[in-house]
Amino acid sequence: PSTARSWSVASSPSGQYLAAVAFSEQIRVSNDFGITWTALATGGSTNWYDIHISSDGQVIQAARSSGGISVSTNAGASFTTY
C-alpha cells in the first residue's frame, strides 16, 4: 500500500497472508509476505476502519467506519456485507 493514508494492516500468524485497508481505498491483499499487493475490486472503495485475515488467507473481515462489516470466505473473490 502507498501514500499518505493511514492504513490498517492484518497479518496471518506466519506473515505470508496480509490484508490492508484505508479510508476511501480498496481492500488490498498479499499472499507473498507483502512483496506484491492486489487491490480487490470485490470489496469496493469505502471508508474502511479495520481488517482481519485468517491463517490461510481465505477469510477476510473488513469493518467500515460508519458501521457494518464485509466478510469474504474465498480470499476476497466475493464479499458479503452485514
Side-chain angles (χ1 to χ4, degrees):
S2 63
T3 70
R5 297 218 192 292
S6 179
W7 290 87
S8 177
V9 179
S11 174
S12 65
S14 70
Q16 179 179 357
Y17 301 100
L18 303 166
V21 291
F23 202 76
S24 297
E25 289 283 345
Q26 291 175 298
I27 296 170
R28 297 172 194 254
V29 295
S30 172
N31 62 7
D32 58 7
F33 299 92
I35 295 168
T36 60
W37 291 85
T38 302
L40 300 179
T42 53
S45 292
T46 192
N47 299 328
W48 299 111
Y49 174 73
D50 201 6
I51 194 154
H52 171 80
I53 192 164
S54 63
S55 61
D56 62 1
Q58 291 298 301
V59 179
I60 301 168
Q61 301 165 321
R64 290 175 159 72
S65 61
S66 59
I69 188 168
S70 293
V71 179
S72 173
T73 57
N74 54 14
S78 63
F79 281 84
T80 301
T81 300
Y82 300 95

